[in-house]
Amino acid sequence: MAEGGVRFEVDGEIATITLDRPEKRNAQTFATWSALARIGETLPERVRVVVVKGEGPSFSAGIDLRMFTAEGVPGQGSFGSAAKSDGASFEQSIRRAQAGFLWLRRPEIVSIAAVQGHAIGAGFQLALACDLRIVADDVSFCMKEPALGLVPDLTGTKPLVELVGLAKAIDICLTARTVHADEAMRIGLAERVVAGGDLEQATREKVEQLLSTNRDAAAATKRLLQGAQGRTLEEQSRAEGIEQAARIKALFG
Ligand code: ACO
């Protein structure tokens, strides 16, 4: 966890993940993604809300740029060494890294990214992996990967398209431009924009609102909402009925 620059705390039903390498703007390494995956694997069942935040002025400046150097990140290699390995083992490493992001969508939890300052590349994708984004007014999202010759591969492309639409996602990614707070709010990337000093309080308020609903109903509703786009109206209506029958049974049976 320390090697990955990640702190993790659980307080009752609330878990908080803090990227904690502010002197390097919370740059992420494979160790960071392993730590995130491990948190997902061992998350206590009682947790209902997961807050992801970054220490210091930036949420995260993305992948550790040492990966682009010949020396790489000590103990974790470099893109140069990955290029020499067989494709299958690097794809395996990517799958492991993605596991650190994927679990944040689980129906049993709601994940909130509290984002201030820079959220670049992997930082942007970590914010996208969360269900909700509450942002400070100095936020700047940037999908820098294409500018560096890479693709966004940390599970960020699907939520980006779902949130802002294909045209806007193409615009944001293929120009690697910065999206500031006002645009983030307008295009649906952010649920709320607050002054930097109010980010913690605004996040706490959202956590309280989320915890005020019934745990099992919340999980079932999230399941329904997540499945909605992939189903026809008829299929979705049937899914609602099945979930509701289970709720009624649990509440009154
Ligand atoms: N990897 C490693 N170290 C980093 C990174 C990074 N991604 N970002 C910042 N740092 C380090 C800097 O090297 C510097 O270290 P030093 O004090 O030892 O010199 C320290 O963090 C502070 O960085 P500054 O640039 O001085 O901070 P500032 O607040 O002025 O700027 C910013 C922040 C805009 C984030 C800038 O650091 C930056 O552009 N970083 C690189 C962003 C990037 O290209 N990320 C890769 C995206 S692609 C992907 O994630 C797959």
Side-chain angles (χ1 to χ4, degrees):
M1 203 81 85
E3 192 195 350
V6 174
R7 247 179 31 234
F8 177 59
E9 285 131 13
V10 177
D11 178 10
E13 296 178 306
I14 309 162
T16 305
I17 297 171
T18 309
L19 302 179
D20 192 18
R21 211 153 62 99
E23 71 288 357
K24 296 292 177 193
R25 302 296 181 265
N26 301 321
Q28 303 174 33
T29 64
F30 277 93
T32 311
W33 303 326
S34 278
L36 293 176
R38 186 91 193 107
I39 291 170
E41 283 154 11
T42 57
L43 193 75
E45 250 181 55
R46 67 178 184 279
V47 170
R48 287 187 61 190
V49 180
V50 177
V51 175
V52 182
K53 62 189 186 120
E55 201 63 66
S58 299
F59 178 72
S60 172
I63 195 169
D64 194 312
L65 293 176
R66 287 177 300 173
M67 283 298 290
F68 292 84
T69 65
E71 298 76 34
V73 179
Q76 297 180 54
S78 66
F79 284 133
S81 55
K84 288 189 200 91
S85 71
D86 69 296
S89 68
F90 189 59
E91 272 174 40
Q92 190 64 31
S93 306
I94 293 176
R95 291 299 297 162
R96 175 70 186 161
Q98 290 170 336
F101 293 64
L102 285 169
W103 68 268
L104 289 160
R105 284 95 165 179
R106 265 184 217 156
E108 296 76 23
I109 57 165
V110 179
S111 50
I112 307 173
V115 189
Q116 82 286 5
H118 297 99
I120 304 177
F124 190 2
Q125 294 192 71
L126 183 57
L128 284 167
C130 293
D131 295 311
L132 308 175
R133 282 146 296 282
I134 298 178
V135 306
D137 51 11
D138 70 344
V139 79
S140 57
F141 291 111
C142 171
M143 200 66 91
K144 184 116 177 245
E145 286 83 345
L148 299 172
L150 303 174
V151 299
D153 67 344
L154 294 167
T155 79
T157 55
K158 189 170 166 64
L160 184 64
V161 170
E162 286 171 355
L163 284 167
V164 306
L166 179 58
K168 186 67 73 184
I170 288 175
D171 170 32
I172 290 169
C173 295
L174 273 63
T175 61
R177 69 178 178 83
T178 298
V179 177
H180 296 285
D182 52 349
E183 185 184 3
M185 189 68 203
R186 198 174 64 246
I187 66 177
L189 266 182
E191 272 62 48
R192 189 172 170 196
V193 179
V194 296
D198 297 336
L199 186 58
E200 206 174 316
Q201 176 60 23
T203 306
R204 206 172 310 128
E205 281 168 19
K206 186 54 68 187
V207 170
E208 278 163 23
Q209 288 170 4
L210 288 164
L211 291 178
S212 70
T213 56
N214 175 284
R215 167 191 283 266
D216 296 326
T221 304
K222 186 172 165 185
R223 266 197 305 274
L224 281 170
L225 296 172
Q226 284 179 319
Q229 274 183 330
R231 297 193 195 106
T232 64
L233 180 59
E234 180 57 35
E235 289 164 346
Q236 182 71 1
S237 310
R238 204 172 315 124
E240 287 175 2
I242 292 167
E243 290 284 13
Q244 193 70 305
R247 294 303 316 133
I248 301 296
K249 206 168 218 164
L251 289 172
F252 305 106

